[in-house]
Structure formats: C-alpha cells, structure tokens
Amino acid sequence: QVQLLESGGGLVQAGGSLRLSCAASGRTFNTYVMGWFRQAPGKEREFVATIRWSGGSTYYADSVKGRFTISRDNAKNTVYLQMNSLKPEDTAVYYCAADRGYTGSNYWQYDYWGQGTQVTVCS
C-alpha cells in the first residue's frame, strides 16, 4: 500500500511557475507508476502527466506539454511536477496518483491517490 501527500500548491500570476511535490510512503515506491491529475470545479478529473518506475519514460497531456515537467526521486520517495508558463486554465486541484501496473492516462485505473493541492492562476 502507498500513501501520498501533495504539497506546493498556491496562488500565482499567469506566466509564473510552481513546483508540486508528492511524498509517498512505502518501501516499494520505485515499483510504482506515478501520475499527476487535476480537477477544476464542475469538470471531470483530467490527466496531466505520468512517469514510469525508472523515471526514464514520461508522458504528458497536450495541454501541458512543453510547460510542465514530471520527475521523480526514488531515493526520496518523491515525485515532482514543475509547472512553468502557467495559465488561468491551469487552475485546479492537483492530485498525485500511483499504480503498480497501469501506465496510461485514465484516472479511474490508478489505485492510490493523495488528498490534492490547490493551484490557482490569476490573470
């Protein structure tokens, strides 16, 4: 079992940057696929980015490609989401997720979730 705790959200102006962190419990962190998702009010949860076990394979939603970077430090049991050139439409609660086998973008197939961290981008 994995427990996830996000941090790093906040209020930022458009064009600014934030870095989200997700600290995971568990000694087998490096065997999990990690993902970031977000959910805006009244909208369905949507995929942002995933990173595989070794950190060598990453995958991004088109809406964030070139602006966001996902990375992981297995020694620290932490996954990061560096967000640059933020836009008001990036405003959402951002969630960290983990799964042993699934490597895709469907949020309902991830087994473990954090509580979320709010990101608000003002214009």
Side-chain angles (χ1 to χ4, degrees):
Q1 183 135 359
V2 176
Q3 293 183 322
L4 306 173
L5 182 63
E6 303 96 333
S7 62
L11 175 65
V12 64
Q13 287 191 323
S17 298
L18 282 174
R19 188 175 83 154
L20 305 183
S21 299
C22 173
S25 65
R27 290 177 289 180
T28 58
F29 172 76
N30 61 352
T31 65
Y32 285 81
V33 174
M34 302 299 298
W36 284 98
F37 293 79
R38 65 187 182 185
Q39 189 165 17
K43 294 188 175 181
E44 189 176 14
R45 191 167 297 190
E46 67 172 2
F47 166 73
V48 175
T50 59
I51 187 166
R52 297 197 182 185
W53 307 271
S54 65
S57 294
T58 56
Y59 179 52
Y60 297 92
D62 288 343
S63 58
V64 307
K65 202 172 294 183
R67 300 187 298 122
F68 291 11
T69 302
I70 188 171
S71 62
R72 67 191 293 165
D73 185 338
N74 287 339
K76 295 183 178 180
N77 280 13
T78 301
V79 63
Y80 304 97
L81 185 69
Q82 177 66 43
M83 306 186 294
N84 299 328
S85 302
L86 282 160
K87 305 175 181 179
E89 51 263 43
D90 294 318
T91 295
V93 177
Y94 283 70
Y95 296 91
C96 177
D99 196 82
R100 270 284 178 85
Y102 182 66
T103 59
S105 59
N106 297 328
Y107 67 88
W108 58 88
Q109 293 189 278
Y110 281 77
D111 285 338
Y112 303 103
W113 290 87
Q115 85 293 343
T117 185
Q118 176 71 46
V119 171
T120 304
V121 184
C122 59
S123 56

